PDB file of all heavy atoms in Angstrom:
ATOM      1  N   MET A   1       0.862  -1.167  -0.020  1.00  0.00           N
ATOM      2  CA  MET A   1       0.043  -0.002  -0.041  1.00  0.00           C
ATOM      3  C   MET A   1       0.866   1.241   0.014  1.00  0.00           C
ATOM      4  O   MET A   1       2.086   1.164   0.160  1.00  0.00           O
ATOM      5  CB  MET A   1      -0.919  -0.019   1.263  1.00  0.00           C
ATOM      6  CG  MET A   1      -0.196   0.147   2.579  1.00  0.00           C
ATOM      7  SD  MET A   1       0.740  -1.241   3.124  1.00  0.00           S
ATOM      8  CE  MET A   1      -0.556  -2.518   3.335  1.00  0.00           C
ATOM      9  N   PRO A   2       0.328   2.473  -0.310  1.00  0.00           N
ATOM     10  CA  PRO A   2       1.051   3.612  -0.263  1.00  0.00           C
ATOM     11  C   PRO A   2       1.761   3.791   1.209  1.00  0.00           C
ATOM     12  O   PRO A   2       1.180   3.549   2.121  1.00  0.00           O
ATOM     13  CB  PRO A   2       0.070   4.762  -0.401  1.00  0.00           C
ATOM     14  CG  PRO A   2      -1.068   4.182  -1.169  1.00  0.00           C
ATOM     15  CD  PRO A   2      -1.076   2.653  -0.683  1.00  0.00           C
ATOM     16  N   ALA A   3       3.133   4.095   1.124  1.00  0.00           N
ATOM     17  CA  ALA A   3       3.882   4.165   2.422  1.00  0.00           C
ATOM     18  C   ALA A   3       4.720   5.311   2.440  1.00  0.00           C
ATOM     19  O   ALA A   3       5.289   5.725   1.361  1.00  0.00           O
ATOM     20  CB  ALA A   3       4.571   2.820   2.586  1.00  0.00           C
ATOM     21  N   VAL A   4       4.894   5.917   3.643  1.00  0.00           N
ATOM     22  CA  VAL A   4       5.884   7.061   3.755  1.00  0.00           C
ATOM     23  C   VAL A   4       6.622   6.945   4.913  1.00  0.00           C
ATOM     24  O   VAL A   4       6.277   6.172   5.896  1.00  0.00           O
ATOM     25  CB  VAL A   4       5.165   8.425   3.810  1.00  0.00           C
ATOM     26  CG1 VAL A   4       4.414   8.653   2.509  1.00  0.00           C
ATOM     27  CG2 VAL A   4       4.197   8.447   5.020  1.00  0.00           C
ATOM     28  N   ILE A   5       7.844   7.486   5.107  1.00  0.00           N
ATOM     29  CA  ILE A   5       8.570   7.665   6.346  1.00  0.00           C
ATOM     30  C   ILE A   5       8.521   9.062   6.798  1.00  0.00           C
ATOM     31  O   ILE A   5       8.908   9.973   5.945  1.00  0.00           O
ATOM     32  CB  ILE A   5      10.056   7.150   6.210  1.00  0.00           C
ATOM     33  CG1 ILE A   5      10.087   5.709   5.930  1.00  0.00           C
ATOM     34  CG2 ILE A   5      10.862   7.586   7.316  1.00  0.00           C
ATOM     35  CD1 ILE A   5      11.425   5.109   5.772  1.00  0.00           C
ATOM     36  N   VAL A   6       8.237   9.375   7.980  1.00  0.00           N
ATOM     37  CA  VAL A   6       8.180  10.768   8.551  1.00  0.00           C
ATOM     38  C   VAL A   6       9.237  10.919   9.544  1.00  0.00           C
ATOM     39  O   VAL A   6       9.150  10.279  10.576  1.00  0.00           O
ATOM     40  CB  VAL A   6       6.806  11.108   9.080  1.00  0.00           C
ATOM     41  CG1 VAL A   6       6.873  12.584   9.535  1.00  0.00           C
ATOM     42  CG2 VAL A   6       5.668  10.878   8.129  1.00  0.00           C
ATOM     43  N   GLU A   7      10.225  11.707   9.191  1.00  0.00           N
ATOM     44  CA  GLU A   7      11.284  11.949  10.162  1.00  0.00           C
ATOM     45  C   GLU A   7      10.851  13.257  10.864  1.00  0.00           C
ATOM     46  O   GLU A   7      10.863  14.395  10.277  1.00  0.00           O
ATOM     47  CB  GLU A   7      12.605  12.246   9.495  1.00  0.00           C
ATOM     48  CG  GLU A   7      13.125  10.948   8.717  1.00  0.00           C
ATOM     49  CD  GLU A   7      13.908  10.000   9.543  1.00  0.00           C
ATOM     50  OE1 GLU A   7      13.973  10.198  10.849  1.00  0.00           O
ATOM     51  OE2 GLU A   7      14.310   9.051   9.084  1.00  0.00           O
ATOM     52  N   VAL A   8      10.463  13.223  12.208  1.00  0.00           N
ATOM     53  CA  VAL A   8       9.824  14.314  12.812  1.00  0.00           C
ATOM     54  C   VAL A   8      10.834  15.461  13.227  1.00  0.00           C
ATOM     55  O   VAL A   8      10.409  16.507  13.725  1.00  0.00           O
ATOM     56  CB  VAL A   8       8.999  13.946  14.018  1.00  0.00           C
ATOM     57  CG1 VAL A   8       7.879  13.033  13.567  1.00  0.00           C
ATOM     58  CG2 VAL A   8       9.803  13.205  15.011  1.00  0.00           C
ATOM     59  N   GLY A   9      12.030  15.174  13.206  1.00  0.00           N
ATOM     60  CA  GLY A   9      13.073  16.197  13.654  1.00  0.00           C
ATOM     61  C   GLY A   9      14.469  15.496  13.880  1.00  0.00           C
ATOM     62  O   GLY A   9      14.591  14.318  13.420  1.00  0.00           O
ATOM     63  N   TYR A  10      15.378  16.171  14.498  1.00  0.00           N
ATOM     64  CA  TYR A  10      16.729  15.718  14.655  1.00  0.00           C
ATOM     65  C   TYR A  10      17.032  15.731  16.089  1.00  0.00           C
ATOM     66  O   TYR A  10      17.186  16.732  16.807  1.00  0.00           O
ATOM     67  CB  TYR A  10      17.690  16.607  13.843  1.00  0.00           C
ATOM     68  CG  TYR A  10      17.763  16.383  12.351  1.00  0.00           C
ATOM     69  CD1 TYR A  10      16.737  16.859  11.550  1.00  0.00           C
ATOM     70  CD2 TYR A  10      18.803  15.592  11.843  1.00  0.00           C
ATOM     71  CE1 TYR A  10      16.781  16.724  10.153  1.00  0.00           C
ATOM     72  CE2 TYR A  10      18.829  15.459  10.481  1.00  0.00           C
ATOM     73  CZ  TYR A  10      17.878  15.892   9.650  1.00  0.00           C
ATOM     74  OH  TYR A  10      17.877  15.704   8.329  1.00  0.00           O
ATOM     75  N   LEU A  11      17.333  14.434  16.611  1.00  0.00           N
ATOM     76  CA  LEU A  11      17.936  14.347  17.898  1.00  0.00           C
ATOM     77  C   LEU A  11      19.301  14.985  18.104  1.00  0.00           C
ATOM     78  O   LEU A  11      19.762  15.308  19.164  1.00  0.00           O
ATOM     79  CB  LEU A  11      17.958  12.876  18.338  1.00  0.00           C
ATOM     80  CG  LEU A  11      16.640  12.306  18.895  1.00  0.00           C
ATOM     81  CD1 LEU A  11      16.943  10.867  19.355  1.00  0.00           C
ATOM     82  CD2 LEU A  11      16.111  13.113  20.108  1.00  0.00           C
ATOM     83  N   SER A  12      19.990  15.095  17.071  1.00  0.00           N
ATOM     84  CA  SER A  12      21.361  15.654  17.039  1.00  0.00           C
ATOM     85  C   SER A  12      21.382  17.081  17.237  1.00  0.00           C
ATOM     86  O   SER A  12      22.443  17.693  17.447  1.00  0.00           O
ATOM     87  CB  SER A  12      22.053  15.181  15.738  1.00  0.00           C
ATOM     88  OG  SER A  12      21.356  15.550  14.587  1.00  0.00           O
ATOM     89  N   SER A  13      20.302  17.770  17.050  1.00  0.00           N
ATOM     90  CA  SER A  13      20.104  19.202  17.268  1.00  0.00           C
ATOM     91  C   SER A  13      19.684  19.385  18.820  1.00  0.00           C
ATOM     92  O   SER A  13      18.643  18.937  19.134  1.00  0.00           O
ATOM     93  CB  SER A  13      19.047  19.851  16.328  1.00  0.00           C
ATOM     94  OG  SER A  13      18.710  21.164  16.893  1.00  0.00           O
ATOM     95  N   THR A  14      20.551  20.027  19.547  1.00  0.00           N
ATOM     96  CA  THR A  14      20.274  20.201  21.000  1.00  0.00           C
ATOM     97  C   THR A  14      18.942  20.856  21.171  1.00  0.00           C
ATOM     98  O   THR A  14      18.056  20.527  22.092  1.00  0.00           O
ATOM     99  CB  THR A  14      21.476  20.933  21.690  1.00  0.00           C
ATOM    100  OG1 THR A  14      22.631  20.193  21.453  1.00  0.00           O
ATOM    101  CG2 THR A  14      21.129  21.006  23.127  1.00  0.00           C
ATOM    102  N   LYS A  15      18.766  21.938  20.424  1.00  0.00           N
ATOM    103  CA  LYS A  15      17.478  22.742  20.544  1.00  0.00           C
ATOM    104  C   LYS A  15      16.323  21.931  20.180  1.00  0.00           C
ATOM    105  O   LYS A  15      15.270  21.988  20.899  1.00  0.00           O
ATOM    106  CB  LYS A  15      17.637  23.983  19.676  1.00  0.00           C
ATOM    107  CG  LYS A  15      16.397  24.922  19.771  1.00  0.00           C
ATOM    108  CD  LYS A  15      16.595  26.148  18.848  1.00  0.00           C
ATOM    109  CE  LYS A  15      15.364  27.027  18.888  1.00  0.00           C
ATOM    110  NZ  LYS A  15      15.598  28.173  18.072  1.00  0.00           N
ATOM    111  N   GLU A  16      16.374  21.172  19.061  1.00  0.00           N
ATOM    112  CA  GLU A  16      15.227  20.492  18.641  1.00  0.00           C
ATOM    113  C   GLU A  16      15.011  19.227  19.493  1.00  0.00           C
ATOM    114  O   GLU A  16      13.849  18.783  19.697  1.00  0.00           O
ATOM    115  CB  GLU A  16      15.462  19.950  17.213  1.00  0.00           C
ATOM    116  CG  GLU A  16      14.160  19.444  16.542  1.00  0.00           C
ATOM    117  CD  GLU A  16      14.201  19.521  15.070  1.00  0.00           C
ATOM    118  OE1 GLU A  16      15.062  18.869  14.408  1.00  0.00           O
ATOM    119  OE2 GLU A  16      13.332  20.273  14.496  1.00  0.00           O
ATOM    120  N   GLN A  17      16.035  18.617  19.999  1.00  0.00           N
ATOM    121  CA  GLN A  17      15.924  17.467  20.967  1.00  0.00           C
ATOM    122  C   GLN A  17      15.054  17.870  22.221  1.00  0.00           C
ATOM    123  O   GLN A  17      14.158  17.071  22.586  1.00  0.00           O
ATOM    124  CB  GLN A  17      17.247  17.003  21.469  1.00  0.00           C
ATOM    125  CG  GLN A  17      17.190  15.861  22.556  1.00  0.00           C
ATOM    126  CD  GLN A  17      18.378  15.925  23.407  1.00  0.00           C
ATOM    127  OE1 GLN A  17      19.435  15.518  23.010  1.00  0.00           O
ATOM    128  NE2 GLN A  17      18.242  16.269  24.649  1.00  0.00           N
ATOM    129  N   LYS A  18      15.371  19.025  22.677  1.00  0.00           N
ATOM    130  CA  LYS A  18      14.483  19.514  23.803  1.00  0.00           C
ATOM    131  C   LYS A  18      13.088  19.664  23.468  1.00  0.00           C
ATOM    132  O   LYS A  18      12.100  19.318  24.304  1.00  0.00           O
ATOM    133  CB  LYS A  18      15.069  20.847  24.399  1.00  0.00           C
ATOM    134  CG  LYS A  18      16.477  20.804  24.993  1.00  0.00           C
ATOM    135  CD  LYS A  18      16.969  22.131  25.466  1.00  0.00           C
ATOM    136  CE  LYS A  18      18.385  21.981  26.045  1.00  0.00           C
ATOM    137  NZ  LYS A  18      18.942  23.297  26.481  1.00  0.00           N
ATOM    138  N   LYS A  19      12.713  20.188  22.345  1.00  0.00           N
ATOM    139  CA  LYS A  19      11.366  20.342  21.907  1.00  0.00           C
ATOM    140  C   LYS A  19      10.695  19.007  21.652  1.00  0.00           C
ATOM    141  O   LYS A  19       9.487  18.758  21.941  1.00  0.00           O
ATOM    142  CB  LYS A  19      11.238  21.238  20.595  1.00  0.00           C
ATOM    143  CG  LYS A  19      11.594  22.653  20.778  1.00  0.00           C
ATOM    144  CD  LYS A  19      11.139  23.511  19.553  1.00  0.00           C
ATOM    145  CE  LYS A  19      11.640  23.113  18.277  1.00  0.00           C
ATOM    146  NZ  LYS A  19      11.174  24.028  17.237  1.00  0.00           N
ATOM    147  N   LEU A  20      11.361  18.076  21.071  1.00  0.00           N
ATOM    148  CA  LEU A  20      10.823  16.740  20.760  1.00  0.00           C
ATOM    149  C   LEU A  20      10.501  15.961  21.979  1.00  0.00           C
ATOM    150  O   LEU A  20       9.623  15.065  21.889  1.00  0.00           O
ATOM    151  CB  LEU A  20      11.844  15.897  20.017  1.00  0.00           C
ATOM    152  CG  LEU A  20      12.126  16.320  18.498  1.00  0.00           C
ATOM    153  CD1 LEU A  20      13.309  15.605  17.910  1.00  0.00           C
ATOM    154  CD2 LEU A  20      10.835  16.008  17.709  1.00  0.00           C
ATOM    155  N   GLN A  21      10.972  16.334  23.114  1.00  0.00           N
ATOM    156  CA  GLN A  21      10.626  15.637  24.415  1.00  0.00           C
ATOM    157  C   GLN A  21       9.417  16.358  25.095  1.00  0.00           C
ATOM    158  O   GLN A  21       8.912  15.768  26.007  1.00  0.00           O
ATOM    159  CB  GLN A  21      11.880  15.669  25.388  1.00  0.00           C
ATOM    160  CG  GLN A  21      12.968  14.915  24.938  1.00  0.00           C
ATOM    161  CD  GLN A  21      14.251  15.115  25.946  1.00  0.00           C
ATOM    162  OE1 GLN A  21      15.065  15.970  25.764  1.00  0.00           O
ATOM    163  NE2 GLN A  21      14.181  14.258  26.949  1.00  0.00           N
ATOM    164  N   GLN A  22       9.002  17.480  24.531  1.00  0.00           N
ATOM    165  CA  GLN A  22       7.981  18.243  25.158  1.00  0.00           C
ATOM    166  C   GLN A  22       6.575  17.836  24.557  1.00  0.00           C
ATOM    167  O   GLN A  22       6.353  17.624  23.304  1.00  0.00           O
ATOM    168  CB  GLN A  22       8.102  19.678  24.903  1.00  0.00           C
ATOM    169  CG  GLN A  22       9.410  20.287  25.541  1.00  0.00           C
ATOM    170  CD  GLN A  22       9.388  20.089  27.078  1.00  0.00           C
ATOM    171  OE1 GLN A  22       8.454  20.382  27.655  1.00  0.00           O
ATOM    172  NE2 GLN A  22      10.510  19.638  27.571  1.00  0.00           N
ATOM    173  N   SER A  23       5.591  17.602  25.378  1.00  0.00           N
ATOM    174  CA  SER A  23       4.252  17.153  24.976  1.00  0.00           C
ATOM    175  C   SER A  23       3.639  18.156  23.997  1.00  0.00           C
ATOM    176  O   SER A  23       3.015  17.727  22.995  1.00  0.00           O
ATOM    177  CB  SER A  23       3.361  16.930  26.094  1.00  0.00           C
ATOM    178  OG  SER A  23       2.069  16.384  25.745  1.00  0.00           O
ATOM    179  N   TRP A  24       3.748  19.413  24.197  1.00  0.00           N
ATOM    180  CA  TRP A  24       3.153  20.427  23.347  1.00  0.00           C
ATOM    181  C   TRP A  24       3.666  20.292  21.916  1.00  0.00           C
ATOM    182  O   TRP A  24       2.883  20.500  21.017  1.00  0.00           O
ATOM    183  CB  TRP A  24       3.274  21.821  23.966  1.00  0.00           C
ATOM    184  CG  TRP A  24       4.742  22.335  24.064  1.00  0.00           C
ATOM    185  CD1 TRP A  24       5.594  22.245  25.112  1.00  0.00           C
ATOM    186  CD2 TRP A  24       5.474  23.007  22.987  1.00  0.00           C
ATOM    187  NE1 TRP A  24       6.803  22.769  24.729  1.00  0.00           N
ATOM    188  CE2 TRP A  24       6.726  23.335  23.464  1.00  0.00           C
ATOM    189  CE3 TRP A  24       5.147  23.393  21.664  1.00  0.00           C
ATOM    190  CZ2 TRP A  24       7.750  23.926  22.733  1.00  0.00           C
ATOM    191  CZ3 TRP A  24       6.214  24.075  20.964  1.00  0.00           C
ATOM    192  CH2 TRP A  24       7.390  24.258  21.458  1.00  0.00           C
ATOM    193  N   TYR A  25       4.995  20.030  21.888  1.00  0.00           N
ATOM    194  CA  TYR A  25       5.526  20.035  20.486  1.00  0.00           C
ATOM    195  C   TYR A  25       5.243  18.726  19.804  1.00  0.00           C
ATOM    196  O   TYR A  25       4.876  18.709  18.607  1.00  0.00           O
ATOM    197  CB  TYR A  25       6.988  20.090  20.610  1.00  0.00           C
ATOM    198  CG  TYR A  25       7.635  20.369  19.237  1.00  0.00           C
ATOM    199  CD1 TYR A  25       7.412  21.471  18.421  1.00  0.00           C
ATOM    200  CD2 TYR A  25       8.557  19.333  18.633  1.00  0.00           C
ATOM    201  CE1 TYR A  25       8.072  21.683  17.221  1.00  0.00           C
ATOM    202  CE2 TYR A  25       9.174  19.623  17.409  1.00  0.00           C
ATOM    203  CZ  TYR A  25       8.831  20.669  16.697  1.00  0.00           C
ATOM    204  OH  TYR A  25       9.407  20.873  15.347  1.00  0.00           O
ATOM    205  N   GLN A  26       5.151  17.669  20.578  1.00  0.00           N
ATOM    206  CA  GLN A  26       4.680  16.400  20.032  1.00  0.00           C
ATOM    207  C   GLN A  26       3.219  16.488  19.504  1.00  0.00           C
ATOM    208  O   GLN A  26       2.833  15.932  18.489  1.00  0.00           O
ATOM    209  CB  GLN A  26       4.859  15.275  21.032  1.00  0.00           C
ATOM    210  CG  GLN A  26       6.239  14.827  21.435  1.00  0.00           C
ATOM    211  CD  GLN A  26       6.266  13.708  22.329  1.00  0.00           C
ATOM    212  OE1 GLN A  26       5.255  13.125  22.815  1.00  0.00           O
ATOM    213  NE2 GLN A  26       7.467  13.367  22.822  1.00  0.00           N
ATOM    214  N   GLU A  27       2.511  17.222  20.250  1.00  0.00           N
ATOM    215  CA  GLU A  27       1.002  17.484  19.902  1.00  0.00           C
ATOM    216  C   GLU A  27       0.976  18.155  18.445  1.00  0.00           C
ATOM    217  O   GLU A  27       0.148  17.829  17.534  1.00  0.00           O
ATOM    218  CB  GLU A  27       0.345  18.261  20.876  1.00  0.00           C
ATOM    219  CG  GLU A  27       0.116  17.593  22.220  1.00  0.00           C
ATOM    220  CD  GLU A  27      -1.167  16.623  22.138  1.00  0.00           C
ATOM    221  OE1 GLU A  27      -1.916  16.829  21.178  1.00  0.00           O
ATOM    222  OE2 GLU A  27      -1.300  15.846  23.083  1.00  0.00           O
ATOM    223  N   GLN A  28       1.824  19.128  18.268  1.00  0.00           N
ATOM    224  CA  GLN A  28       1.887  19.880  17.039  1.00  0.00           C
ATOM    225  C   GLN A  28       2.234  18.958  15.883  1.00  0.00           C
ATOM    226  O   GLN A  28       1.631  18.976  14.769  1.00  0.00           O
ATOM    227  CB  GLN A  28       2.725  21.067  17.103  1.00  0.00           C
ATOM    228  CG  GLN A  28       2.285  22.206  18.018  1.00  0.00           C
ATOM    229  CD  GLN A  28       3.199  23.409  17.866  1.00  0.00           C
ATOM    230  OE1 GLN A  28       3.794  23.713  16.902  1.00  0.00           O
ATOM    231  NE2 GLN A  28       3.243  24.177  18.986  1.00  0.00           N
ATOM    232  N   LEU A  29       3.391  18.197  16.126  1.00  0.00           N
ATOM    233  CA  LEU A  29       3.725  17.293  15.092  1.00  0.00           C
ATOM    234  C   LEU A  29       2.712  16.264  14.817  1.00  0.00           C
ATOM    235  O   LEU A  29       2.437  15.947  13.580  1.00  0.00           O
ATOM    236  CB  LEU A  29       5.022  16.598  15.576  1.00  0.00           C
ATOM    237  CG  LEU A  29       6.258  17.362  15.707  1.00  0.00           C
ATOM    238  CD1 LEU A  29       7.409  16.707  16.461  1.00  0.00           C
ATOM    239  CD2 LEU A  29       6.821  17.845  14.283  1.00  0.00           C
ATOM    240  N   SER A  30       2.037  15.672  15.791  1.00  0.00           N
ATOM    241  CA  SER A  30       1.043  14.613  15.711  1.00  0.00           C
ATOM    242  C   SER A  30      -0.149  15.105  14.874  1.00  0.00           C
ATOM    243  O   SER A  30      -0.663  14.447  13.993  1.00  0.00           O
ATOM    244  CB  SER A  30       0.714  14.061  17.026  1.00  0.00           C
ATOM    245  OG  SER A  30       1.785  13.581  17.728  1.00  0.00           O
ATOM    246  N   ARG A  31      -0.585  16.382  15.274  1.00  0.00           N
ATOM    247  CA  ARG A  31      -1.698  17.029  14.533  1.00  0.00           C
ATOM    248  C   ARG A  31      -1.400  17.161  13.077  1.00  0.00           C
ATOM    249  O   ARG A  31      -2.297  16.962  12.185  1.00  0.00           O
ATOM    250  CB  ARG A  31      -2.089  18.280  15.199  1.00  0.00           C
ATOM    251  CG  ARG A  31      -3.413  18.915  14.717  1.00  0.00           C
ATOM    252  CD  ARG A  31      -3.840  20.103  15.626  1.00  0.00           C
ATOM    253  NE  ARG A  31      -3.899  19.693  16.925  1.00  0.00           N
ATOM    254  CZ  ARG A  31      -3.109  20.124  17.874  1.00  0.00           C
ATOM    255  NH1 ARG A  31      -2.185  20.918  17.644  1.00  0.00           N
ATOM    256  NH2 ARG A  31      -3.428  19.719  19.122  1.00  0.00           N
ATOM    257  N   ALA A  32      -0.190  17.585  12.693  1.00  0.00           N
ATOM    258  CA  ALA A  32       0.164  17.834  11.333  1.00  0.00           C
ATOM    259  C   ALA A  32       0.147  16.575  10.499  1.00  0.00           C
ATOM    260  O   ALA A  32      -0.314  16.417   9.423  1.00  0.00           O
ATOM    261  CB  ALA A  32       1.502  18.474  11.184  1.00  0.00           C
ATOM    262  N   ILE A  33       0.808  15.438  11.143  1.00  0.00           N
ATOM    263  CA  ILE A  33       0.759  14.072  10.517  1.00  0.00           C
ATOM    264  C   ILE A  33      -0.575  13.588  10.287  1.00  0.00           C
ATOM    265  O   ILE A  33      -0.979  13.161   9.206  1.00  0.00           O
ATOM    266  CB  ILE A  33       1.608  13.167  11.313  1.00  0.00           C
ATOM    267  CG1 ILE A  33       3.151  13.693  11.308  1.00  0.00           C
ATOM    268  CG2 ILE A  33       1.537  11.697  10.843  1.00  0.00           C
ATOM    269  CD1 ILE A  33       3.948  12.845  12.302  1.00  0.00           C
TER     270      ILE A  33
END
């Protein structure tokens, strides 16, 4: 079936890693997906 890979961000970015651990940012990513 149609398939995609979504890379939601970069753990290697210190700034983005902090956001990826936050529920509010996960909510934004999840809503977009």
Side-chain angles (χ1 to χ4, degrees):
M1 68 289 298
V4 298
I5 290 176
V6 183
E7 300 275 2
V8 298
Y10 282 77
L11 276 182
S12 49
S13 165
T14 303
K15 181 179 179 180
E16 193 158 64
Q17 174 208 288
K18 292 178 180 178
K19 290 199 299 182
L20 287 167
Q21 293 177 269
Q22 300 297 316
S23 180
W24 64 268
Y25 190 65
Q26 291 184 4
E27 291 278 347
Q28 290 187 29
L29 292 167
S30 301
R31 189 173 299 114
I33 295 167

